[in-house]
Amino acid sequence: MTTLHKFFLPFLVITVLLFTSCSKEDDTTLHNPNDTTLENVLTGIGFQGYAIVTKNGKDLVRQGFGWANQDTESPQGDNLGYRIGSVTKTLTAAAVVQLKRDGLIQSFDQTLDEFDTEFPNGDQITIAQLLSHQSGIPEYQLLAEGAYEQGETLDEGTIYDLIKELILENGLDFTPGSNKEYCNSNYLIAALLVEQVSGMPYHEYVQQKIFNPLGMSESYKGTDEIDSDTHVQGYLNGSPNSSYPMDIPFGAGDFSSTPSDMETWTNAVKTDWFTEAERTEIFAKDVPSGYVDFGLGWFTTQEGSTTMYWHGGDINGYWSMIGFIPEYDATIVLLSNQQDDTGTQRNTIIEHLLTTAFN
């Protein structure tokens, strides 16, 4: 029996964070959104970044908040780059869907041992379980970051071997399919699967199959150090915090993009990028009101009769969220350059959207 997570619980917030501290015990009580405009909510919580939220074809908000670079006092912009963290996972999942379209995989129920005969317990873990965080594969993040801090050079292949060693030494965290636990390892493996099956580098495959057809010319693999001419500076508690070894979040959180490109991607997913048959496999269904569930690369949150599909991301200096609400033809893109370890800002915004803006 898999588990659902009650919406707005601090546990849920922690599970969607990528490469930020999970040990904080700060108060994550949500602000009362009140009956006010979304712009006022964003201003009130100190949101720093660029926000695009539309409803029935009209903008609720489309503007920047705070500075893209505090030293130069340059404004936020919809054509500037932001690290998107785990929103990358929506692209990785879509790339795997594309593999199936191209006939390179036959089913999301294929098991990992078909692609790597030496993967521990690979005969028990399906592609669908990878993409929906049901694999039981242990998390690699802290170990990889620790090795990097000790001066070791890591790439995705090294990390993949590390993940296999973790399973050989300690086993899986749970029996595949019996639980759901957010884990970046799933998506690093999925991105490597894209490479192996397509015969193309992962980022090139995403470029050719997703970015080029949609005209997303400002989305790319993030660099360890940002280009301050085209990319906003990230901050933590007001101090610059943009450096990160981008090989570590391979396929799980390594893209940078612009608000404009993320709007294009979200609108494509909202409309016709996936076929109806694909949508039935990708988006979690029958989610009770007040709960969130994992699909293949997307979360489904249900609040009353309103359904929101979304994904968030966090990485040094940045947080992000994209999503859509079909009932209101709504598109949501929030890219922030002020790290929020507790996820309080994202939860406050989601609560306002589901209980006020789209109610």
Side-chain angles (χ1 to χ4, degrees):
M1 182 71 178
T2 58
T3 58
L4 295 176
H5 297 303
K6 186 72 173 172
F7 189 42
F8 298 139
L9 281 182
F11 170 75
L12 171 65
V13 177
I14 294 302
T15 64
V16 300
L17 297 181
L18 172 62
F19 307 125
T20 55
S21 171
C22 294
S23 63
K24 288 183 176 293
E25 296 180 355
D26 296 349
D27 180 11
T28 58
T29 302
L30 299 175
H31 301 282
N32 185 344
N34 297 319
D35 187 13
T36 186
T37 67
L38 179 56
E39 181 181 349
N40 286 343
V41 170
L42 292 169
T43 300
I45 64 175
F47 174 75
Q48 178 175 305
Y50 202 93
I52 300 171
V53 181
T54 69
K55 178 181 180 181
N56 294 324
K58 297 182 179 180
D59 290 345
L60 294 184
V61 64
R62 182 183 294 272
Q63 68 184 78
F65 296 79
W67 300 119
N69 188 305
Q70 295 174 8
D71 290 340
T72 60
E73 295 189 348
S74 55
Q76 309 280 0
D78 66 357
N79 62 343
L80 293 175
Y82 296 73
R83 293 202 199 279
I84 63 171
S86 282
V87 169
T88 297
K89 292 181 174 68
T90 67
L91 299 166
T92 302
V96 175
V97 172
Q98 186 66 49
L99 292 178
K100 188 168 180 287
R101 289 178 183 172
D102 292 342
L104 298 176
I105 61 174
Q106 304 306 310
S107 168
F108 297 132
D109 291 328
Q110 288 182 256
T111 52
L112 295 190
D113 64 316
E114 295 183 47
F115 308 97
D116 180 356
T117 57
E118 297 181 353
F119 195 92
N121 305 105
D123 60 335
Q124 303 175 36
I125 303 167
T126 67
I127 296 171
Q129 288 167 346
L130 277 184
L131 298 182
S132 59
H133 301 287
Q134 298 186 70
S135 70
I137 295 173
E139 176 62 65
Y140 72 86
Q141 171 204 333
L142 293 179
L143 285 176
E145 289 185 335
Y148 176 81
E149 291 170 2
Q150 296 298 315
E152 294 186 36
T153 300
L154 299 175
D155 60 18
E156 61 273 14
T158 306
I159 295 173
Y160 180 68
D161 291 339
L162 172 64
I163 292 169
K164 292 202 290 186
E165 289 175 13
L166 287 173
I167 299 172
L168 288 171
E169 291 176 4
N170 304 311
L172 297 171
D173 288 345
F174 53 85
T175 300
S178 69
N179 198 4
K180 297 187 178 184
E181 186 174 298
Y182 189 90
C183 176
N184 298 298
S185 301
N186 293 311
Y187 275 78
L188 181 137
I189 295 169
L192 287 172
L193 178 67
V194 170
E195 291 199 333
Q196 176 183 339
V197 175
S198 71
M200 295 171 57
Y202 161 75
H203 298 94
E204 182 180 339
Y205 189 82
V206 172
Q207 181 78 45
Q208 291 195 16
K209 299 296 185 177
I210 300 175
F211 294 162
N212 289 350
L214 293 175
M216 294 171 61
S217 60
E218 302 300 328
S219 300
Y220 51 90
K221 177 187 176 181
T223 53
D224 294 1
E225 302 293 336
I226 64 164
D227 179 351
S228 59
D229 291 332
T230 58
H231 200 290
V232 302
Q233 173 68 57
Y235 294 92
L236 174 61
N237 299 324
S239 298
N241 187 36
S242 291
S243 298
Y244 193 82
M246 296 305 290
D247 284 341
I248 290 180
F250 178 82
D254 59 344
F255 272 105
S256 280
S257 186
T258 65
S260 178
D261 270 10
M262 283 293 97
E263 181 180 22
T264 296
W265 174 232
T266 305
N267 283 338
V269 173
K270 183 177 70 174
T271 54
D272 59 2
W273 202 88
F274 295 117
T275 67
E276 283 304 313
E278 289 167 348
R279 296 172 81 87
T280 62
E281 294 189 272
I282 291 163
F283 298 112
K285 299 175 289 295
D286 302 321
V287 180
S289 179
Y291 284 79
V292 63
D293 197 6
F294 302 143
L296 307 188
W298 292 83
F299 298 108
T300 299
T301 292
Q302 190 72 31
E303 182 64 25
S305 62
T306 302
T307 305
M308 181 168 75
Y309 303 103
W310 65 284
H311 208 293
D314 297 78
I315 195 165
N316 287 13
Y318 306 85
W319 72 263
S320 58
M321 186 181 83
I322 64 172
F324 60 99
I325 302 175
E327 181 183 357
Y328 297 100
D329 188 24
T331 297
I332 301 148
V333 175
L334 297 158
L335 302 184
S336 175
N337 61 328
Q338 177 62 60
Q339 188 170 324
D340 178 22
D341 281 353
T342 64
T344 302
Q345 287 196 350
R346 180 165 45 228
N347 267 4
T348 301
I349 294 165
I350 292 174
E351 182 178 15
H352 177 78
L353 293 176
L354 290 176
T355 63
T356 304
F358 296 104
N359 188 291

